[in-house]
Amino acid sequence: MANFEAYQEYQRIEDFEEDSPPGEEDLLVHVPEGLKDSWHHIKNLDNFFTRIYHFHQKNGFACMMLSEFFELVQFLFVVTFTTFLFNCVEYDVLFANRAVNHTGQNPLDRNKVTLPDAILPSQQCTERIQDNSWIIFLLIMAAIFWVYRLIKVFCNVLSYWEIRQFYIKALKIRMDELCNFTWQEVQSRLISLQREQQMCIHKKELTELDIYHRILRFKNYMVAMVNKSLLPVQLQLPLLGEVVFLTQGLKYNFELILFWGPGSLFQNKWNLHPKYKRAGNRLELAQQLSRFILLMGLANLLLCPFVLVWQVLYAFFSYTEAIRREPGSLGARRWSLYGRLYLRHFNELDHELHSRLGRGYKAVSKYMNSFTSPMLAVMARNVAFFSGSVLAVLIALTVYDEDVLTVQHILTAITVLGVVITVSRSFIPDEHMVWCPEQLLQCVLAHIHYMPDHWKGNANKSETRDEMAQLFQYKAVFILEELLSPIVTPFVLIFLLRHKSLEIIDFFRNFTVEVVGVGDICSFAQMDIRRHGNPQWMSEGQTEASVYQQAENGKTELSLMHFTIKNPHWQPPQESSVFISHLKEKVQQDAATGPPRALLLSETPLCASLLSNESGHGTDNLLASVLTHPVLTASGQPGHDRHSHRAGTTASVAASVLASLSGSQLPGRTRSHSQLPAGHAESPMYRSDRTMVDSMSASDSHFRGESRSALQLELASAEMSLHAIYMHEIHQQGSQSQRPPGRWQAPMPMRELTTDTARLPPHSRGFSVSTHVHPVGWTEEEEAGEDEEVEVDVNSRSASRRDMGRTC
């Protein structure tokens, strides 16, 4: 009966198809008479909101155009300098393999080679270039690409100048004040402007979710395909076993094939082609997609030599000096491209993802560095000793007589020995380190929010560390993968992605919905508990989703909580509101059985930790306080504290802190729940007798010097981290209760998408229409920016680490 009602609901909405955006001409930015200006001709709202977002994140027009200019100069420099090195330098003279005649000079200086001696005259250099047809061909290809980039930069200048005018005249934000506005403040002004100016002509009210959908339309699809294990990024290699391989080049090809290429599935940037919405010709469409993927793979194979040369040159110019200055930088870690997609919530903007993963950087580094190999440690100590002894002698000789530096390869030996010593020391564990993998992994979970079930209780296993390394890779591995990408990408497309053509066609047909005024989006991005909830993640009885429709690892539930916390004014739909209310009730119940709130506030430095100057992020100390509270032990049994209060599990302690961590006293934290059913009347997220904000305001003078918006961000981050811990704990308790006693249940791998749609509920087969929702380098992913690749000191003296060490 429920399925039939849902089916009827979707059929009713199809009657409003004429109100949905049929083409670009219906998505005009409508500007009234009083506000017509240079931006009135902007038609594509997706590009409009995306450029507004990028304009804010890249700090305005001047910074953006300066970056574009230097990208052009950088490409020109790499091509010109490389051509000069290959054709205009006489290396026999430079290496003193051939004598140079210095007629007329002082006889004492005749054996001295100068730099101009090794550089050929311009005429001879030009002749060398003209005689090499390969060099001429590569220069022509580089010139064509550079001209293309120049035209693109010119178009960007015109486009972003209009965005600049929009910020100044419509949003009333001056360029010198742009850095003082958060994205949430810019977004609220956009929503207010929609009420006044009706930018989107199909909707009177513009919601936060509408804006996120337009900016993240294709990224939500990518997150969903990684979540459902649809993209072939896990490779089985003969000696290495299963490895994850996802590079910038491979990701670019995925997006080109699926979203915006000449043979992509989308007919424009906001509508899936109608033929992919019908199930009748799925086999024919799969064959067409397979042929297109084959052509793209062959094109990559043909361009492989040129792309490989560019990758090598760019890596050489980018990293050689940094490696020479700091050899240990190759041992620093960064979030992999696969990790960014696997850990990303639905509807999570780039800066939100970057901030969240940045907060977890130190915690993950501590966990990864806690694994040591005794054999490698012994070998590293001895290698460091022998290398250090030789280096000490060479340094002493150069101090005694600087002529030692003129000996052939003596500088090379000193440099190589320094690199060997640095690398060897990275394998020597800190003698003060405390082995505490379970709590370290729990701290990691608080920030990354996602963790496979089989990691629980196996944090000390090397298999868990290896799987974490797929998400948090060495920088050296990242560089190596990017260098191999031009070679591996064609084979991934031809031999792996082609075989998933039918599954891809079914995925886009089954998981695409049309939203009025927005266009076609991934249905997972709606965060609809009824359609995509997982009963094992606190949505039992509220979801009708089959196994095929459920998001893996609680992605729907966690994404909904994350979006709700980040956008407190957003009004969720009915099913989402019911789920949030159910979660609030569950938290209050567990808080009642957990440690008293007064004990938490008095014994754990919750207030002080958020304002502590000892740590870069106050929420780190807050979470460490929760995870190492004296009423807990590693097994969740009562601790031996002097107060004799009742003990609790991690879930109950997190619930107690959530109940105390009320954001309702902050401006803008109240939320309307007009769609809640009876008995779930409005309330802020959580209530308490003494809120966190009030206690901090009264007890710490440092709070008065901090901006209230910064505190809101800290509290929102802490609130979501505690929700992640709490929901994972409840999920683990439910999973353990379903296992047969005395048996260990093997972890379930991420299931492959099935192509059998006959068993799906009627409303999920084929293309369905959603309900109208109211209210030039590859060193880093473009939208994420550069990771903070810092060397993490394992024996840091922070208070939270001391507490963790004592608990372990």
Side-chain angles (χ1 to χ4, degrees), residues 611 696-707:
L611 305 172
M696 285 190 292
S697 301
S699 62
D700 203 309
S701 60
H702 180 68
F703 168 77
R704 289 186 287 271
E706 294 291 330
S707 66

PDB file of all heavy atoms in Angstrom, residues 611 696-707:
ATOM      1  N   LEU A 611      38.333  27.089  23.573  1.00  0.00           N
ATOM      2  CA  LEU A 611      39.035  28.371  23.542  1.00  0.00           C
ATOM      3  C   LEU A 611      40.508  28.212  23.848  1.00  0.00           C
ATOM      4  O   LEU A 611      41.207  29.194  24.048  1.00  0.00           O
ATOM      5  CB  LEU A 611      38.394  29.331  24.552  1.00  0.00           C
ATOM      6  CG  LEU A 611      36.890  29.548  24.366  1.00  0.00           C
ATOM      7  CD1 LEU A 611      36.330  30.356  25.516  1.00  0.00           C
ATOM      8  CD2 LEU A 611      36.631  30.255  23.052  1.00  0.00           C
ATOM      9  N   MET A 696      30.346  29.209  28.533  1.00  0.00           N
ATOM     10  CA  MET A 696      31.585  29.785  28.032  1.00  0.00           C
ATOM     11  C   MET A 696      31.551  31.305  28.118  1.00  0.00           C
ATOM     12  O   MET A 696      32.545  31.947  28.431  1.00  0.00           O
ATOM     13  CB  MET A 696      31.845  29.333  26.594  1.00  0.00           C
ATOM     14  CG  MET A 696      32.318  27.910  26.488  1.00  0.00           C
ATOM     15  SD  MET A 696      32.883  27.504  24.840  1.00  0.00           S
ATOM     16  CE  MET A 696      31.342  27.559  23.962  1.00  0.00           C
ATOM     17  N   SER A 697      30.413  31.877  27.843  1.00  0.00           N
ATOM     18  CA  SER A 697      30.318  33.335  27.879  1.00  0.00           C
ATOM     19  C   SER A 697      30.567  33.862  29.285  1.00  0.00           C
ATOM     20  O   SER A 697      31.178  34.916  29.472  1.00  0.00           O
ATOM     21  CB  SER A 697      28.937  33.776  27.393  1.00  0.00           C
ATOM     22  OG  SER A 697      28.700  33.324  26.090  1.00  0.00           O
ATOM     23  N   ALA A 698      30.058  33.135  30.271  1.00  0.00           N
ATOM     24  CA  ALA A 698      30.174  33.620  31.637  1.00  0.00           C
ATOM     25  C   ALA A 698      31.523  33.316  32.251  1.00  0.00           C
ATOM     26  O   ALA A 698      31.957  34.019  33.160  1.00  0.00           O
ATOM     27  CB  ALA A 698      29.071  32.992  32.495  1.00  0.00           C
ATOM     28  N   SER A 699      32.211  32.289  31.767  1.00  0.00           N
ATOM     29  CA  SER A 699      33.396  31.824  32.469  1.00  0.00           C
ATOM     30  C   SER A 699      34.701  32.224  31.814  1.00  0.00           C
ATOM     31  O   SER A 699      35.736  32.186  32.459  1.00  0.00           O
ATOM     32  CB  SER A 699      33.365  30.287  32.586  1.00  0.00           C
ATOM     33  OG  SER A 699      33.392  29.710  31.290  1.00  0.00           O
ATOM     34  N   ASP A 700      34.690  32.625  30.556  1.00  0.00           N
ATOM     35  CA  ASP A 700      35.953  32.849  29.864  1.00  0.00           C
ATOM     36  C   ASP A 700      35.917  34.197  29.170  1.00  0.00           C
ATOM     37  O   ASP A 700      35.078  34.445  28.319  1.00  0.00           O
ATOM     38  CB  ASP A 700      36.212  31.737  28.839  1.00  0.00           C
ATOM     39  CG  ASP A 700      37.697  31.610  28.531  1.00  0.00           C
ATOM     40  OD1 ASP A 700      38.305  32.652  28.214  1.00  0.00           O
ATOM     41  OD2 ASP A 700      38.211  30.489  28.622  1.00  0.00           O
ATOM     42  N   SER A 701      36.851  35.059  29.530  1.00  0.00           N
ATOM     43  CA  SER A 701      36.892  36.383  28.920  1.00  0.00           C
ATOM     44  C   SER A 701      37.374  36.319  27.480  1.00  0.00           C
ATOM     45  O   SER A 701      37.087  37.219  26.688  1.00  0.00           O
ATOM     46  CB  SER A 701      37.820  37.293  29.730  1.00  0.00           C
ATOM     47  OG  SER A 701      39.138  36.741  29.761  1.00  0.00           O
ATOM     48  N   HIS A 702      38.101  35.255  27.115  1.00  0.00           N
ATOM     49  CA  HIS A 702      38.599  35.127  25.743  1.00  0.00           C
ATOM     50  C   HIS A 702      37.455  35.023  24.752  1.00  0.00           C
ATOM     51  O   HIS A 702      37.592  35.422  23.603  1.00  0.00           O
ATOM     52  CB  HIS A 702      39.499  33.897  25.641  1.00  0.00           C
ATOM     53  CG  HIS A 702      40.066  33.689  24.276  1.00  0.00           C
ATOM     54  ND1 HIS A 702      40.992  34.548  23.728  1.00  0.00           N
ATOM     55  CD2 HIS A 702      39.841  32.719  23.341  1.00  0.00           C
ATOM     56  CE1 HIS A 702      41.327  34.129  22.530  1.00  0.00           C
ATOM     57  NE2 HIS A 702      40.635  33.021  22.265  1.00  0.00           N
ATOM     58  N   PHE A 703      36.328  34.480  25.206  1.00  0.00           N
ATOM     59  CA  PHE A 703      35.159  34.336  24.328  1.00  0.00           C
ATOM     60  C   PHE A 703      34.675  35.680  23.818  1.00  0.00           C
ATOM     61  O   PHE A 703      34.257  35.816  22.680  1.00  0.00           O
ATOM     62  CB  PHE A 703      34.043  33.616  25.084  1.00  0.00           C
ATOM     63  CG  PHE A 703      32.721  33.670  24.368  1.00  0.00           C
ATOM     64  CD1 PHE A 703      32.470  32.858  23.279  1.00  0.00           C
ATOM     65  CD2 PHE A 703      31.726  34.541  24.794  1.00  0.00           C
ATOM     66  CE1 PHE A 703      31.264  32.905  22.626  1.00  0.00           C
ATOM     67  CE2 PHE A 703      30.525  34.590  24.140  1.00  0.00           C
ATOM     68  CZ  PHE A 703      30.281  33.765  23.057  1.00  0.00           C
ATOM     69  N   ARG A 704      34.759  36.715  24.674  1.00  0.00           N
ATOM     70  CA  ARG A 704      34.237  38.012  24.283  1.00  0.00           C
ATOM     71  C   ARG A 704      35.056  38.633  23.163  1.00  0.00           C
ATOM     72  O   ARG A 704      34.570  39.509  22.453  1.00  0.00           O
ATOM     73  CB  ARG A 704      34.189  38.933  25.512  1.00  0.00           C
ATOM     74  CG  ARG A 704      33.112  38.538  26.502  1.00  0.00           C
ATOM     75  CD  ARG A 704      33.008  39.555  27.622  1.00  0.00           C
ATOM     76  NE  ARG A 704      34.119  39.469  28.544  1.00  0.00           N
ATOM     77  CZ  ARG A 704      34.134  38.681  29.607  1.00  0.00           C
ATOM     78  NH1 ARG A 704      33.106  37.894  29.859  1.00  0.00           N
ATOM     79  NH2 ARG A 704      35.172  38.655  30.415  1.00  0.00           N
ATOM     80  N   GLY A 705      36.294  38.176  23.004  1.00  0.00           N
ATOM     81  CA  GLY A 705      37.121  38.690  21.923  1.00  0.00           C
ATOM     82  C   GLY A 705      36.956  37.938  20.630  1.00  0.00           C
ATOM     83  O   GLY A 705      37.459  38.366  19.599  1.00  0.00           O
ATOM     84  N   GLU A 706      36.286  36.811  20.650  1.00  0.00           N
ATOM     85  CA  GLU A 706      36.101  36.000  19.458  1.00  0.00           C
ATOM     86  C   GLU A 706      34.802  36.367  18.751  1.00  0.00           C
ATOM     87  O   GLU A 706      33.837  36.784  19.370  1.00  0.00           O
ATOM     88  CB  GLU A 706      36.064  34.506  19.839  1.00  0.00           C
ATOM     89  CG  GLU A 706      37.368  33.979  20.386  1.00  0.00           C
ATOM     90  CD  GLU A 706      38.447  33.911  19.330  1.00  0.00           C
ATOM     91  OE1 GLU A 706      38.107  33.710  18.140  1.00  0.00           O
ATOM     92  OE2 GLU A 706      39.626  34.081  19.678  1.00  0.00           O
ATOM     93  N   SER A 707      34.781  36.234  17.453  1.00  0.00           N
ATOM     94  CA  SER A 707      33.567  36.486  16.699  1.00  0.00           C
ATOM     95  C   SER A 707      32.565  35.377  16.969  1.00  0.00           C
ATOM     96  O   SER A 707      32.928  34.210  17.125  1.00  0.00           O
ATOM     97  CB  SER A 707      33.874  36.578  15.204  1.00  0.00           C
ATOM     98  OG  SER A 707      34.314  35.331  14.718  1.00  0.00           O
TER      99      SER A 707
END
